Amino acid sequence: MYELEEKGYLYLLGIIPFLVLVFAYIQFWKRKKQREFGDWALVRKLSPEKSVFKPILKFTLLMLALAALVIGLVNPKIGTKMETVKREGIDIVFAVDVSKSMLAEDVAPSRLDKSKQIVSQIINQLGNDRIGIVAYAGSAFPVLPITTDYGVAKMFLQSMNTTMVSSQGTSLDEAIKLSSTFFDKGNKTSKLLIMISDGEDHSEGAESAAEEANKAGMKIITIGIGTEKGGPIPLKRNGIVESFKRDNNNQVVITKRNNESLMAIAKATKGGYIDGNNTKEVLAYIKKALDNIEKTEFEATQMADFESQFQWFLGIAFALLLLDVFLLEKTTGWIRKLNLFNEKE
């Protein structure tokens, strides 16, 4: 595999065809003027050591040197190989609530954006752990399988929104069940599920799902987002609030954080619960929890770092330019004897 670091410089290669046309025109013009000066055979005899081939060769070397310089500026990089590395860590799945209630702005900028910020900052403080992401509302949706690529994880995380799961509500048990499938049952690596939600569970069986997860060796940490006082759910268009979500009686819906359901899930797996409104406290809590979880060794396959190859092309360009400097335009004796251009009478 390869990549080009500075693709913009490739446009400079367009200069080469232009220079070739200019060179061809100059050679044609010279030949025309020489024929106008006198008989071509006589003109050749006046300068017997002038080579017809050497100017073309020198120009070709210059064009090749220019092409090599441009490619050097582009800096092609080559990934040497796929390699398997051994790491020591745990498997973590982040289950993020994307139900409509997460649009409430009782915490800034909104419950969902706050959740993304927390997950992103938790990822920043991870070391060699593998991570996956699940989105859930009325049902659960796999966003990213277990991976060691934190950059890709953050990209998928930022793309999450309340429209990615069609069925609305909040089904905590579905999130737990789907998250459990991310972990390899035959693997002894420690398994941690971090659930971020306002806790408004519209399903039954979250505790029983957590108990099943506990039997499978999973630990669950829940993070509550929102306030107990709650707030309305804004309905926006182009970032501007047009109205608020209303119930069947045309009353504005006030969504409140439900700590009890989140605490019950965490307790079932001997995990923990923390208020997610203070990001600094959440990060400190998660860090302490991770430090107390046993790390195990696992293998991860990754592409070896791309290595820059520009130096090879700069070296080739320098060698061609050096050759051009020492290459004279007069004929070379042994080549002249071959009479490649039928110059002898």
Side-chain angles (χ1 to χ4, degrees):
M1 295 181 67
Y2 70 93
E3 67 175 17
L4 304 177
E5 186 174 38
E6 300 291 344
K7 294 181 181 178
Y9 287 115
L10 288 174
Y11 293 108
L12 294 177
L13 292 174
I15 298 174
I16 295 177
F18 172 75
L19 293 177
V20 170
L21 291 175
V22 172
F23 177 78
Y25 174 78
I26 292 174
Q27 295 304 307
F28 172 78
W29 178 82
K30 282 183 178 181
R31 184 66 62 88
K32 181 181 178 182
K33 291 299 180 183
Q34 287 172 347
R35 291 185 184 281
E36 290 176 357
F37 179 74
D39 181 69
W40 172 247
L42 182 60
V43 172
R44 292 292 300 140
K45 287 183 178 181
L46 291 175
S47 54
E49 293 188 351
K50 182 173 178 59
S51 173
V52 175
F53 173 69
K54 289 286 186 69
I56 299 175
L57 177 60
K58 286 174 66 65
F59 177 77
T60 302
L61 292 176
L62 282 173
M63 293 302 98
L64 290 174
L66 178 59
L69 283 172
V70 171
I71 295 174
L73 289 173
V74 172
N75 188 20
K77 293 183 174 182
I78 298 177
T80 53
K81 60 183 178 180
M82 293 293 290
E83 62 180 15
T84 300
V85 296
K86 291 187 179 295
R87 295 185 173 186
E88 199 175 65
I90 65 175
D91 288 346
I92 305 172
V93 172
F94 294 95
V96 181
D97 188 346
V98 292
S99 60
K100 294 293 185 183
S101 63
M102 295 296 284
L103 294 174
E105 298 176 346
D106 50 345
V107 291
S110 71
R111 293 180 183 178
L112 181 57
D113 288 332
K114 183 71 171 179
S115 300
K116 292 181 183 180
Q117 291 174 7
I118 290 174
V119 173
S120 181
Q121 292 191 45
I122 291 175
I123 293 174
N124 287 341
Q125 67 180 18
L126 297 179
N128 295 319
D129 307 299
R130 296 185 296 192
I131 59 176
I133 301 176
V134 166
Y136 65 97
S139 60
F141 177 79
V143 176
L144 181 70
I146 292 290
T147 180
T148 55
D149 193 332
Y150 294 169
V152 170
K154 287 183 180 180
M155 181 181 69
F156 276 90
L157 174 68
Q158 294 307 317
S159 67
M160 295 174 69
N161 56 69
T162 57
T163 62
M164 63 190 307
V165 179
S166 57
S167 57
Q168 283 304 307
T170 303
S171 185
L172 297 175
D173 59 329
E174 290 293 328
I176 296 171
K177 290 175 183 177
L178 178 60
S179 298
S180 64
T181 65
F182 276 46
F183 301 110
D184 185 355
K185 294 181 179 179
N187 197 324
K188 295 182 179 180
T189 305
S190 298
K191 305 170 181 64
L192 174 64
L193 170 60
I194 299 178
M195 298 188 70
I196 304 97
S197 174
D198 54 22
E200 285 194 336
D201 189 10
H202 297 91
S203 66
E204 297 180 359
E207 284 188 55
S208 60
E211 289 171 359
E212 289 299 318
N214 184 49
K215 293 176 183 178
M218 286 173 55
K219 185 182 290 290
I220 301 178
I221 292 177
T222 55
I223 301 174
I225 300 294
T227 62
E228 295 181 4
K229 181 180 178 181
I233 302 172
L235 302 177
K236 297 182 179 181
R237 177 177 293 180
N238 298 324
I240 300 174
V241 178
E242 292 188 331
S243 60
F244 294 96
K245 184 177 178 62
R246 294 176 178 272
D247 58 20
N248 295 331
N249 297 320
N250 202 32
Q251 299 296 313
V252 174
V253 174
I254 301 298
T255 173
K256 301 178 181 180
R257 185 181 70 193
N258 182 0
N259 297 335
E260 286 72 21
S261 59
L262 297 175
M263 288 179 177
I265 290 172
K267 184 178 179 181
T269 62
K270 299 181 176 63
Y273 166 83
I274 185 169
D275 187 326
N277 296 335
N278 188 317
T279 304
K280 186 176 180 180
E281 290 181 2
V282 172
L283 295 177
Y285 180 86
I286 296 296
K287 185 179 185 306
K288 184 178 179 181
L290 293 177
D291 290 340
N292 292 328
I293 296 177
E294 181 183 359
K295 309 294 190 298
T296 53
E297 189 178 82
F298 59 84
E299 292 184 346
T301 302
Q302 64 181 27
M303 173 64 75
D305 289 340
F306 283 98
E307 296 180 356
S308 296
Q309 306 295 321
F310 71 92
Q311 65 274 10
W312 297 103
F313 295 97
L314 294 183
I316 292 171
F318 177 76
L320 291 172
L321 291 173
L322 193 63
L323 181 60
D324 178 74
V325 170
F326 288 100
L327 192 65
L328 302 178
E329 291 196 3
K330 69 178 185 178
T331 58
T332 305
W334 66 271
I335 293 180
R336 188 180 182 188
K337 291 178 182 178
L338 295 176
N339 195 26
L340 297 173
F341 298 96
N342 298 317
E343 295 171 335
K344 293 182 180 180
E345 295 180 354

